[in-house]
Amino acid sequence: MLRTHTCGDLRPKDIGQEVTLCGWVQSVRDHGGVIFINLRDRYGESQVVCDPQKDPESHKVAEKVRKEWVLQAHGVVDARPAESINPNMATGEVEVTCDRLVILSTAKTPALEIDDSKVANEDVRMKYRYLDLRRPSMQRNLAIRHNAAQAVREYLSSLGFLEVQTPLLVRSTPEGARDFVVPSRLFPGKFYALPQSPQLYKQLLMVSGVDRYFQLAPCFRDEDQRADRQPVHTQIDLEMSFVDESDVFCVVEGVVKAAFKAGADIDVSLPFPRMTYQEAIDRFGLDKPDTRFGMELIDYTDLSANCGFSVFARAVENGGQVKGLNIKGGSSLPRREIDELGEFVKVYRAKGLAWMRVTDSGLESSITKFFTDGELEAIRQRSKAEPGDLLVFVADSPRIVAASLGWLRNHLARKLDLIPSGVFNLVWITDFPLFDWNEETRQWEPMHHMFTMPKEEDMPFLHSDPGRVRGRLYDLVLNGVELGSGSIRINRCDIQQEVMKVVGMDAADAERRFGFLLRAFEYGAPPHGGFAIGFDRLLTQIAGIENMRDMIPFPYNSAGVSLVDDSPSEIDSSQWRELHIRPDSVQRK
RNA sequence: GGAGGCGUGGUGUAGUGGUCUAACAUGCCUGCCUGUCACGCAGGAGAUCGCGGGUUCGACUCCCGUCGCUUCCGCCA
């Protein structure tokens, strides 16, 4: 080793020792005589002192040194004079009096400052990710990631889970997300796909008798990005045989607890509360409710059915709902900001946002004239409205009402600072519908995937009323973020065929897409179920940061470009030929 | 595919029609300084204000287009 200690090691107990440190120059303070160099590595920072009277040679070297040069410093650990102790530094009680300073590498002026208090723009950070990652907070994020991953592996291993790798070149499945696709050289016109998840493979492993499987699995989806979505993400993927929901919950709860503990020394309490999908939608508008604050949705549909306000009445007449929020103390919001809330809900296709201010003399708004006193009183009571509050309403289809108010609720909570810090509300959302009606294709689609077991008691409605069928399907939600989802799978061919019928898939389709799995199920498939935790999202929560990309060593930008290596990139014409493919338009260089 | 926000020295920002011949911080260079630690002090270099077009006597500033980054809707089982 070129060093005896790291830059974070030295303490008063080391005083008198001869040491050699290696690291990057964080700062140089040249006092004309003595020069102080702060040397930084992953472990911390140490002060190296170059005194011309003690060692003119190293002082001469130190005069040349610049930020981010890589140095090797040899010397003796000394106690700092009492008045020079730096309490803000872990190594602040000591310093290395340098008697040999070696320049291991010089450096250009860094393209961004290595300083947590001066963070550059995202594109600059991505292009120079290796510099960005030198920042202590990013080093911490890498460590959190490692520690959490390690704890997850350890915990699951202790429960008898086997980590099994599944292939990264797999069969393309057209339903669900768009596949990333890899052309085959040996089979002209054929393609592999990168897996969206190891779903089918982990079910095969259950048929194989693996019984308890897990994997920190890379998953690929060629869809448009979001702040919390990457083209490649990592799942803590797991699957178990001979289980029901409670068995899966128990394991996942332990995994999450272990990750929080190892990643940030946070204790989450078990078990996580459960809430049905319907309750989440009714009370919070979203299937990923943030339960850290109140302001739940209030249902005025029954009061609105026959009211004089035609916007409300007509919505109800058309099978819609009228729901709203009571924004405590919100009547002080200026008109302009209320109008902004109206703009906010329009993004979710609400046509508008009605509102009433609550004053000492009752409800006040331009629409109160359409309501009778009795109706206004009923609204006031149902809202538990007090003077100073602001009531807002959306009248529309249940789907639009729920989404617009649900997101408005989250938006307001941030805006009005209603969210307590340091709270981690983990909640299971259960009993999701098995199918989702796709208005465009006018077909039922699986809400989760094709292999989710319907709830026993809803089985009779499989064909008569698919929308009513709930699946043995569950999500884990943390502070309004969907951490992952899972289900108990179908292990019987007859049920599988019924489900495929509902979503309009015939036997030939099924055979072509995942015949290999159906065939496997003919050879003795154990009842099984599992879960997949979005590891990057979990880490973002554990680290308490905003940007998921900060938890990913080399992330992609919002256009799916990797700025470090500037991929995707063009390939040589020889590669095109070798892969038996060609660009769809030659002009498109 | 659609909508919003942003784009000004290496980096982060200010400047919203005219002394802007572009400011501040930090970084960079030179000099001074023996106890600093966001060292200090003095001096200096560094920006055709993303790009193209338009409006105007005059554009960093307004308009249109375009590119890039970002957030959201669609999409993402």
Side-chain angles (χ1 to χ4, degrees):
Chain A
M1 287 291 282
L2 299 182
R3 67 185 178 202
T4 60
H5 294 73
T6 73
C7 296
D9 281 341
L10 301 178
R11 293 293 184 279
K13 67 172 170 48
D14 301 304
I15 287 166
Q17 265 204 70
E18 260 187 58
V19 300
T20 309
L21 300 181
C22 291
W24 286 261
V25 174
Q26 178 66 29
S27 63
V28 187
R29 294 178 298 281
D30 184 345
H31 287 263
V34 69
I35 297 174
F36 299 102
I37 297 172
N38 277 22
L39 214 54
R40 183 201 69 237
D41 63 15
R42 194 183 125 192
Y43 310 93
E45 255 180 64
S46 286
Q47 174 163 285
V48 174
V49 187
C50 298
D51 188 328
Q53 275 160 16
K54 291 184 176 148
D55 187 60
E57 214 159 298
S58 62
H59 180 266
K60 198 164 252 172
V61 176
E63 281 183 317
K64 284 187 292 192
V65 159
R66 293 293 178 264
K67 282 196 174 195
E68 298 307 317
W69 287 24
V70 184
L71 305 182
Q72 182 190 45
H74 177 271
V76 175
V77 180
D78 284 324
R80 294 200 194 182
E83 66 278 11
S84 299
I85 286 174
N86 185 347
N88 302 321
M89 240 173 131
T91 61
E93 289 180 72
V94 297
E95 61 194 9
V96 175
T97 305
C98 187
D99 56 31
R100 194 173 73 242
L101 191 62
V102 180
I103 296 167
L104 298 175
S105 176
T106 61
K108 287 170 67 172
T109 300
L112 49 84
E113 294 181 53
I114 318 295
D115 184 341
D116 278 334
S117 61
K118 298 169 192 164
V119 180
N121 283 334
E122 198 96 4
D123 45 343
V124 178
R125 293 177 55 198
M126 292 309 159
K127 183 167 176 188
Y128 298 97
R129 190 60 161 179
Y130 40 89
L131 297 180
D132 191 43
L133 288 173
R134 287 182 189 171
R135 289 164 39 221
S137 69
M138 295 301 282
Q139 294 276 327
R140 163 182 163 267
N141 291 347
L142 292 176
I144 288 174
R145 191 176 182 106
H146 166 82
N147 292 338
Q150 207 59 11
V152 166
R153 287 203 163 95
E154 218 174 278
Y155 179 76
L156 287 170
S157 303
S158 77
L159 295 180
F161 281 77
L162 289 186
E163 181 165 19
V164 182
Q165 284 186 283
T166 52
L168 292 175
L169 295 172
V170 302
R171 189 184 185 88
S172 177
T173 50
E175 70 285 334
R178 203 173 290 115
D179 282 324
F180 280 105
V181 124
V182 180
S184 161
R185 174 178 57 88
L186 295 174
F187 298 93
K190 292 192 176 181
F191 294 81
Y192 301 98
L194 304 178
Q196 295 175 26
S197 79
Q199 183 61 37
L200 303 180
Y201 278 93
K202 69 175 174 178
Q203 293 194 245
L204 288 180
L205 287 171
M206 292 304 106
V207 180
S208 311
V210 166
D211 191 78
R212 298 189 145 201
Y213 142 93
F214 85 99
Q215 183 180 196
L216 291 183
C219 302
F220 306 84
R221 289 174 191 180
D222 187 6
E223 294 290 349
D224 288 358
Q225 306 308 300
R226 279 292 191 292
D228 61 350
R229 271 193 240 153
Q230 284 271 301
V232 186
H233 72 281
T234 304
Q235 288 183 350
I236 306 170
D237 190 45
L238 58 91
E239 194 77 9
M240 309 158 74
S241 291
F242 311 115
V243 293
D244 59 27
E245 286 84 343
S246 58
D247 301 298
V248 178
F249 288 4
C250 186
V251 168
V252 172
E253 285 171 357
V255 167
V256 170
K257 186 179 175 68
F260 263 96
K261 187 67 184 170
D265 199 26
I266 291 168
D267 290 296
V268 298
S269 52
L270 305 183
F272 306 152
R274 302 179 191 183
M275 186 187 296
T276 64
Y277 169 85
Q278 197 56 52
E279 184 184 351
I281 295 293
D282 288 345
R283 290 175 56 195
F284 302 97
L286 304 173
D287 61 3
K288 37 177 181 269
D290 191 338
T291 57
R292 288 175 297 176
F293 60 97
M295 199 162 66
E296 295 184 17
L297 275 59
I298 304 160
D299 195 343
Y300 304 99
T301 306
D302 56 321
L303 301 179
S304 308
N306 299 307
C307 75
F309 188 39
S310 63
V311 173
F312 283 11
R314 208 178 314 122
V316 179
E317 210 176 288
N318 296 333
Q321 294 178 326
V322 178
K323 297 182 81 168
L325 303 172
N326 179 359
I327 306 167
K328 298 306 270 181
S331 71
S332 59
L333 284 175
R335 179 61 190 268
R336 178 180 45 82
E337 290 193 33
I338 298 177
D339 289 343
E340 274 169 20
L341 301 181
E343 290 307 307
F344 182 89
V345 295
K346 280 182 186 162
V347 170
Y348 302 93
R349 297 187 180 170
K351 287 173 205 72
L353 187 75
W355 55 270
M356 298 180 187
R357 286 201 170 103
V358 187
T359 69
D360 292 321
S361 47
L363 300 176
E364 282 181 11
S365 135
S366 57
I367 61 166
T368 49
K369 58 176 177 259
F370 299 113
F371 297 85
T372 66
D373 288 347
E375 284 165 347
L376 290 174
E377 180 55 21
I379 289 172
R380 201 189 58 76
Q381 279 188 16
R382 173 129 349 143
S383 315
K384 299 188 176 69
E386 298 167 317
D389 294 349
L390 178 71
L391 306 180
V392 295
F393 309 85
V394 172
D396 219 306
S397 69
R399 197 180 276 240
I400 290 174
V401 167
S404 58
L405 287 173
W407 287 110
L408 179 64
R409 178 178 170 272
N410 285 357
H411 173 74
L412 283 165
R414 299 192 81 165
K415 185 181 157 76
L416 303 175
D417 204 20
L418 302 179
I419 302 175
S421 61
V423 175
F424 297 92
N425 278 3
L426 286 141
V427 54
W428 291 106
I429 307 298
T430 64
D431 296 353
F432 276 79
L434 192 58
F435 303 108
D436 202 18
W437 178 251
N438 184 326
E439 197 56 52
E440 250 174 66
T441 60
R442 306 203 59 79
Q443 267 196 328
W444 290 102
E445 290 177 345
M447 187 99 160
H448 183 54
H449 59 57
M450 203 73 103
F451 312 107
T452 302
M453 183 75 93
K455 288 196 84 148
E456 183 75 41
E457 63 264 40
D458 293 342
M459 221 75 102
F461 310 111
L462 213 44
H463 294 291
S464 58
D465 189 3
R468 181 170 167 180
V469 178
R470 293 163 300 166
R472 295 179 68 181
L473 180 50
Y474 35 84
D475 275 10
L476 180 60
V477 172
L478 167 54
N479 293 351
V481 175
E482 181 194 326
L483 276 191
S485 58
S487 62
I488 301 299
R489 327 294 184 188
I490 297 170
N491 71 314
R492 275 172 38 192
C493 294
D494 55 334
I495 301 176
Q496 187 66 70
Q497 276 161 12
E498 292 306 306
V499 167
M500 291 192 304
K501 240 182 254 171
V502 175
V503 300
M505 188 174 286
D506 62 27
D509 268 345
E511 173 59 29
R512 191 166 49 78
R513 291 180 184 181
F514 23 75
F516 64 102
L517 181 67
L518 301 179
R519 205 163 312 118
F521 280 0
E522 293 169 2
Y523 289 89
H528 62 287
F531 203 77
I533 302 171
F535 190 47
D536 308 289
R537 282 187 191 170
L538 174 64
L539 290 167
T540 308
Q541 295 292 321
I542 289 175
I545 60 176
E546 290 289 317
N547 187 346
M548 193 175 87
R549 288 182 290 262
D550 285 352
M551 289 316 294
I552 300 175
F554 297 101
Y556 298 82
N557 73 7
S558 67
V561 172
S562 164
L563 289 171
V564 166
D565 67 355
D566 200 26
S567 64
S569 64
E570 287 155 17
I571 58 173
D572 295 345
S573 54
S574 63
Q575 287 176 288
W576 285 108
R577 275 195 301 281
E578 198 166 56
L579 296 168
H580 321 287
I581 53 177
R582 62 175 65 122
D584 66 347
S585 138
V586 183
Q587 302 90 301
R588 196 184 299 168
K589 30 148 216 185

